[in-house]
């Protein structure tokens, strides 16, 4: 890989990390904002949050004043009281007026050089970069957020604009909710005064109270959803949290949520209140897919690629519903960016179970869920990009290490084996140097694809670095791992890679090192180390093979000239000088030892009573050591 491509990949990872950090900061700020109903306090938190996220010194939030027919500054940071009080921006004029009129964000590197706004910009800042975005609620622009002067004195980037737009989308809803709350509270106060004056008009007052109660009820529901959803950014937990809120207000027997992903089919989330059989689940699933197809105008959905996910939100009541159908169905489409991506559905055994108020509540929850779900899916997409290798689409080294730690901890707790492959492409450096990086990249991509295609859905495949890969195999003992490793080496050996025929004697193959927890090792660090050693041995033994420890038993039978108190084994497998392998006396003049070795050829001899070196007279083959003395030869296959 070239220096430029490495630099670009590092830059992409840095950018993605900053986005994830920005999104995490947004989530924390939104938690605080959603708990605030006072408009003035909310406005101060919004502008403080925006300048914090973008690390800026100057920012303002402007709202449209219908009486003045212009934009006025409601709250600001870094501006004088006089500027805040006297600023009036006509619609379409200046930067803020342009954003409000067009409903579009602005990112300008140098305001003074932009022909559209240079003459109107009277303020002089040390940083002439500007960023602004509209506040939009229900397709209506209600105001503008403007940000100037990064503390770092850098100019604003498109990533900054993306963070500001994401933040503005959430705060616009919070602002509207806050205004609704204060308007409602104000109307209640007015109504209280009016009640004293219009005691005779009880019917009118009753209807108004009912309307206001509904508004407060809606606001309570929205705030309830915000509280349970805010702590979690992932879509499954968002759906689970919303299901728990719905269960508090609507009596249903089954909750389901269909989410379609164009790349990998989709997910069908289920939460049955009663213990129902598979036929009932499949019936609800089929109805949800059919209704989704009608809403989305899709002729075909990859039903076989949609997986069932049980949420377990509500307690399961022991009641077998194998002969009962969902007599009442309540469903609504989930639409994101003008595209139907899913469906939310409630089922009830009783006929006409859902009333008009249930449907209104269900619609209210769905509308707010769409906003939260869109941000959640966006967060997951950015998070996934930050842990994925751009070339092979496999996870990167850091995430692989984290996954291995997690998997071995689970294995230790639940008592199951975990095997680890370390895989290296043979002769890749020569191939890459000879045919260039683009051709080498094709080999890396194809090997990665073969590894993914042959791994199970529970296995974790990663690009460990360069031409080296790793695979974590949960619930896999050594024999099962050997079978998979041999299959992978055979498939890659038989694959015709570009131009490899002209690389005589150096065909593209892979060497695989295998270690298994807890059979071979007891810790994660040693597991990786032993798999690496096995990979090295596979290379040393001729490449294109899988290598792992073999369990061996050696016995020593000999009539010694003296009584043996202790017999130890020495060999080039321990460099003749490290810890000795002590034999066990099993009977008169019979000694035994069990140990593990990688495949290979090893010289060895025995040490009796710490003083006498002696070869094994029962060995079938001898070789000379570096001193010209005979030593026994052990061949491990």
């Amino acid at each position: 890989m070239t220096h430029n491509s490495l630099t670009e990949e590092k830059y992409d990872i840095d950018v993605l990390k900053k986005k994830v950090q920005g999104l995490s900061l947004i989530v924390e700020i939104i938690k605080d904002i959603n708990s605030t109903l006072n408009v003035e306090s909310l406005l101060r938190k919004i502008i403080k949050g925006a300048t914090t996220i973008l690390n800026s010194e100057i920012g303002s939030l402007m709202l449209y004043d219908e009486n003045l027919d212009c934009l006025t500054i409601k709250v600001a940071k870094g501006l004088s009281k006089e500027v805040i009080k006297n600023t009036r921006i006509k619609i379409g004029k200046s930067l803020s007026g342009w954003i409000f009129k067009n409903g579009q964000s602005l990112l300008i590197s140098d305001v003074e050089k932009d022909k559209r706004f240079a003459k109107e910009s009277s303020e002089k800042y040390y940083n002439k970069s500007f960023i602004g975005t509209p506040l939009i609620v229900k397709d209506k622009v209600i105001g503008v957020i403007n940000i100037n002067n990064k503390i770092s004195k850098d100019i604003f980037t498109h990533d900054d604009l993306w963070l500001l737009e994401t933040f503005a989308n959430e705060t616009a809803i919070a602002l509207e909710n806050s205004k609704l709350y204060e308007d409602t509270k104000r109307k209640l106060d007015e109504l209280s005064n009016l009640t004293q004056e219009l005691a005779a008009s009880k019917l009118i007052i009753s209807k108004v109270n009912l309307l206001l109660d509904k508004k407060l009820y809606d606001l309570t529901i929205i705030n309830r959803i915000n509280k349970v959803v805010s702590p979690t950014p992932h879509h499954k937990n968002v759906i689970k949290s919303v299901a728990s809120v719905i269960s508090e207000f609507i009596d249903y027997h089954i909750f389901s949520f269909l989410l379609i992903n164009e790349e990998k089919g989709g997910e069908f989330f289920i939460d049955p209140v009663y213990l129902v059989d598979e036929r009932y689940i499949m019936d609800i699933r089929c109805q949800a897919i059919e209704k989704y197809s009608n809403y989305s105008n899709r002729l075909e959905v990859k039903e076989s690629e949609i997986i069932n996910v049980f949420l377990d939100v509500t307690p399961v009541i022991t009641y077998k519903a194998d002969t009962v159908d969902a007599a009442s169905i309540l469903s609504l489409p989930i639409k994101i960016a003008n595209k139907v991506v899913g469906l939310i559905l409630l089922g009830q055994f009783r006929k006409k179970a859902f009333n008009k108020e249930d449907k209104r509540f269900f619609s209210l929850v769905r509308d707010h869920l769409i906003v939260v779900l869109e941000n959640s899916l966006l967060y997951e997409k950015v998070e996934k990009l930050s842990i994925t290798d751009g070339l092979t689409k496999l996870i990167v080294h850091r995430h692989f290490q984290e996954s291995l730690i997690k998997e071995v901890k689970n294995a230790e707790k639940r008592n199951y084996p975990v095997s680890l492959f370390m895989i290296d492409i043979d002769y890749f450096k020569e191939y890459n140097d000879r045919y260039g990086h683009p051709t080498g990249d094709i080999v890396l991509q194809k090997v990665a694809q073969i590894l993914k295609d042959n791994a199970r859905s529970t296995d974790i495949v990663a690009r460990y670095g360069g031409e080296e890969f790793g695979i974590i195999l949960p619930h896999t003992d050594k024999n099962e791992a050997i079978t998979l490793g041999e299959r992978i080496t055979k498939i890659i050996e038989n694959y015709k890679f570009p131009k490899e025929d002209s690389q005589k004697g150096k065909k593209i193959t892979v060497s695989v090192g295998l270690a298994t927890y807890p059979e071979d090792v007891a810790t994660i660090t040693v597991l990786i180390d032993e798999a690496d050693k096995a990979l090295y041995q596979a290379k040393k033994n001729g490449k294109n093979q899988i290598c792992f420890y073999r369990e061996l038993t050696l016995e020593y039978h000999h009539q010694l000239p003296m009584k043996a108190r202790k017999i130890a084994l020495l060999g080039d497998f321990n460099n003749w000088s490290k810890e000795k392998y002590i034999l066990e006396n099993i009977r008169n003049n019979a000694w035994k030892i069990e140990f593990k070795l990688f495949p290979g050829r090893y010289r060895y001899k025995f040490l009796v009573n710490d003083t006498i070196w002696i070869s094994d007279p029962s060995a079938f083959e001898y070789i000379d050591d570096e001193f010209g003395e005979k030593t026994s030869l052990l061949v491990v296959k």
Side-chain angles (χ1 to χ4, degrees):
M1 182 176 291
T2 63
H3 175 74
N4 288 337
S5 60
L6 284 171
T7 303
E8 291 173 0
E9 183 174 348
K10 182 179 183 304
Y11 173 77
D12 291 340
I13 291 174
D14 291 341
V15 170
L16 289 171
K17 284 182 179 178
K18 289 180 181 178
K19 282 190 175 182
V20 171
Q21 291 171 357
L23 281 174
S24 300
L25 184 57
I26 288 175
V27 169
E28 293 299 318
I29 294 172
I30 291 300
K31 285 183 192 178
D32 186 31
I33 287 176
N34 283 334
S35 64
T36 306
L37 291 175
N38 179 269
V39 173
E40 290 185 4
S41 298
L42 180 63
L43 291 174
R44 286 194 296 271
K45 288 182 178 182
I46 289 173
I47 200 62
K48 180 181 178 182
T51 53
T52 300
I53 292 166
L54 295 174
N55 196 27
S56 301
E57 293 179 331
I58 298 177
S60 64
L61 190 154
M62 307 185 77
L63 296 180
Y64 177 66
D65 190 319
E66 292 184 355
N67 295 327
L68 299 175
D69 188 26
C70 66
L71 292 168
T72 61
I73 299 176
K74 293 299 180 181
V75 66
K77 175 185 176 181
L79 297 179
S80 66
K81 292 182 179 180
E82 183 178 357
V83 170
I84 296 172
K85 179 180 178 181
N86 297 328
T87 298
R88 301 286 186 270
I89 304 296
K90 291 293 183 182
I91 305 307
K93 300 296 183 181
S94 189
L95 298 165
S96 303
W98 187 96
I99 295 171
F100 185 90
K101 180 180 179 180
N102 293 280
Q104 298 177 8
S105 301
L106 267 182
L107 171 59
I108 300 175
S109 299
D110 191 332
V111 175
E112 295 183 3
K113 293 182 180 180
D114 193 297
K115 295 180 180 180
R116 297 171 296 175
F117 309 110
K119 294 181 179 179
E120 298 175 353
S121 177
S122 58
E123 291 287 340
K124 302 294 182 182
Y125 306 110
Y126 63 72
N127 188 320
K128 302 167 188 176
S129 180
F130 169 89
I131 191 171
T133 192
L135 291 167
I136 302 175
V137 176
K138 296 179 180 179
D139 297 326
K140 181 182 178 182
V141 181
I142 64 170
V144 176
I145 296 179
N146 302 312
I147 303 295
N148 300 88
N149 281 21
K150 267 194 172 185
I151 294 174
S152 64
K153 299 187 180 181
D154 294 329
I155 64 171
F156 291 108
T157 66
H158 288 284
D159 293 332
D160 294 326
L161 181 60
W162 177 81
L163 287 173
L164 182 60
E165 289 174 339
T166 302
F167 180 69
N169 288 340
E170 279 292 331
T171 55
I173 295 170
L175 183 58
E176 184 69 11
N177 291 341
S178 179
K179 290 178 66 178
L180 174 63
Y181 176 84
E182 291 207 349
D183 288 344
T184 303
K185 187 175 181 300
R186 178 178 52 79
K187 289 178 182 178
L188 282 173
D189 292 339
E190 292 174 357
L191 183 62
S192 177
N193 296 330
L194 188 62
T195 302
Q196 298 176 6
E197 300 173 6
L198 303 175
S201 304
K202 292 183 180 180
L203 181 60
I204 297 175
I205 296 173
S206 176
K207 289 182 177 180
V208 173
N209 274 329
L210 180 62
L211 179 63
L212 292 174
D213 285 345
K214 283 186 176 181
K215 292 291 185 183
L216 285 173
Y217 175 78
D218 292 352
L219 190 60
T220 301
I221 299 303
I222 291 172
N223 285 333
R224 173 78 177 117
I225 293 173
N226 286 335
K227 286 182 179 179
V228 298
V229 168
S230 291
T232 172
H234 293 282
H235 74 275
K236 178 183 176 180
N237 293 329
V238 167
I239 294 169
K240 185 175 181 178
S241 298
V242 170
S244 70
V245 173
I246 294 177
S247 68
E248 296 175 10
F249 295 90
I250 296 182
D251 179 23
Y252 63 79
H253 289 159
I254 188 166
F255 168 94
S256 65
F257 190 97
L258 177 65
L259 183 64
I260 298 298
N261 185 314
E262 296 292 344
E263 296 179 0
K264 58 179 182 180
E267 298 167 294
F268 183 64
F269 298 92
I270 319 154
D271 177 42
V273 177
Y274 295 100
L275 185 63
V276 295
D277 67 352
E278 187 177 350
R279 184 199 63 82
Y280 180 80
I281 297 293
M282 289 304 298
D283 180 60
I284 292 293
R285 174 187 163 109
C286 290
Q287 289 192 57
I289 293 174
E290 181 181 356
K291 289 179 181 293
Y292 165 79
S293 298
N294 293 335
Y295 282 121
S296 63
N297 296 319
R298 289 189 60 177
L299 298 177
E300 182 180 355
V301 176
K302 296 178 182 177
E303 188 171 345
S304 62
E305 297 182 15
I306 298 174
I307 61 172
N308 290 346
V309 181
F310 285 86
L311 296 174
D312 193 26
V313 172
T314 54
V316 175
I317 301 170
T318 305
Y319 174 81
K320 192 172 183 180
D322 56 354
T323 59
V324 183
D325 293 324
S328 299
I329 293 291
L330 189 59
S331 67
L332 287 171
I334 302 297
K335 193 174 183 181
I336 295 177
N338 296 321
K339 186 176 183 180
V340 178
V341 298
L343 180 101
I344 184 171
L345 182 147
L346 301 181
Q348 244 283 7
F349 298 146
R350 292 183 289 105
K351 292 182 178 180
K352 298 181 180 179
F354 303 116
N355 57 36
K356 186 177 179 180
E357 184 58 27
D358 289 336
K359 295 175 182 178
R360 193 187 73 84
F361 169 83
F362 193 54
S363 179
L364 175 72
V365 172
R366 186 277 309 265
D367 292 345
H368 194 65
L369 169 61
I370 287 174
V371 177
V372 179
L373 183 63
E374 183 177 12
N375 289 333
S376 173
L377 293 174
L378 180 62
Y379 179 90
E380 290 176 21
K381 183 177 181 180
V382 173
E383 185 180 49
K384 182 180 178 181
L385 287 172
S386 70
I387 63 170
T388 303
D389 175 56
L391 178 66
T392 62
K393 308 307 177 187
L394 300 178
I395 64 170
V396 295
H397 175 274
R398 174 183 57 81
H399 189 64
F400 181 78
Q401 293 275 9
E402 293 170 355
S403 300
L404 183 60
I405 292 171
K406 181 179 178 181
E407 197 58 58
V408 172
K409 285 183 178 178
N410 287 338
E412 182 180 11
K413 183 178 179 182
R414 299 173 185 173
N415 193 27
Y416 63 81
V418 176
S419 290
L420 173 66
F421 282 157
M422 297 304 294
I423 303 169
D424 190 82
I425 303 176
D426 301 325
Y427 305 114
F428 181 78
K429 185 179 186 305
E430 295 94 324
Y431 183 93
N432 201 45
D433 290 344
R434 184 171 184 178
Y435 301 115
H437 293 293
T439 308
D441 287 348
I442 293 173
V443 172
L444 291 171
Q445 289 172 325
K446 186 58 190 179
V447 169
Q449 188 61 51
I450 290 173
L451 297 180
K452 283 193 293 185
D453 291 344
N454 286 275
R456 303 164 301 181
S457 60
T458 54
D459 298 336
I460 301 169
V461 186
R463 184 180 181 190
Y464 205 73
E467 66 269 28
E468 194 170 354
F469 299 85
I471 304 180
I472 303 170
L473 305 163
H475 300 280
T476 306
D477 61 26
K478 178 165 286 185
N479 289 332
E480 293 170 325
I482 292 169
T483 301
L484 174 59
E486 290 175 342
R487 182 168 75 244
I488 287 173
T489 57
K490 197 69 177 176
I491 291 172
I492 294 175
E493 179 186 8
N494 293 333
Y495 187 83
K496 298 297 183 184
F497 290 96
K499 303 179 182 180
E500 68 174 357
D501 290 339
S502 59
Q503 190 168 274
K504 294 181 180 180
K506 295 184 178 180
K507 186 183 186 309
I508 292 294
T509 55
V510 294
S511 297
V512 182
L514 165 64
T516 300
Y517 170 90
E519 180 179 342
D520 294 328
V521 299
T523 66
I524 295 168
T525 304
V526 179
L527 181 66
I528 297 173
D529 187 47
E530 293 304 325
D532 266 332
K533 288 179 182 177
L535 173 60
Y536 173 78
Q537 192 68 33
K539 292 280 192 182
K540 182 180 177 182
N541 291 347
K543 303 180 175 63
N544 190 26
Q545 59 186 273
I546 178 172
C547 186
F548 49 90
Y549 274 127
R550 262 73 167 183
E551 293 187 359
L552 301 173
T553 300
L554 279 183
E555 291 192 11
Y556 179 73
H557 302 271
H558 189 53
Q559 185 67 40
L560 299 171
M562 81 290 289
K563 184 176 181 180
R565 300 187 307 275
K566 180 174 65 173
I567 298 180
L569 177 68
L570 296 171
D572 56 4
F573 40 78
N574 63 357
N575 296 323
W576 303 101
S577 60
K578 294 185 179 178
E579 180 181 354
K580 305 176 182 65
Y581 296 97
I582 307 300
L583 277 68
E584 174 190 0
N585 184 207
I586 54 177
R587 57 184 177 274
N588 287 339
N589 298 322
W591 304 74
K592 181 181 73 171
I593 185 169
E594 295 179 352
F595 61 115
K596 295 179 179 181
L597 284 177
F598 289 123
R601 296 164 60 88
Y602 301 93
R603 297 174 298 162
Y604 71 98
K605 48 190 173 182
F606 294 101
L607 179 64
V608 180
N609 295 343
D610 293 324
T611 58
I612 302 174
W613 290 86
I614 184 169
S615 300
D616 186 356
S618 62
F620 290 99
E621 186 176 355
Y622 295 90
I623 59 174
D624 292 332
D625 63 13
E626 59 267 32
F627 302 108
E629 299 177 354
K630 295 292 186 183
T631 61
S632 302
L633 179 67
L634 173 64
V635 180
V636 182
K637 297 183 178 179

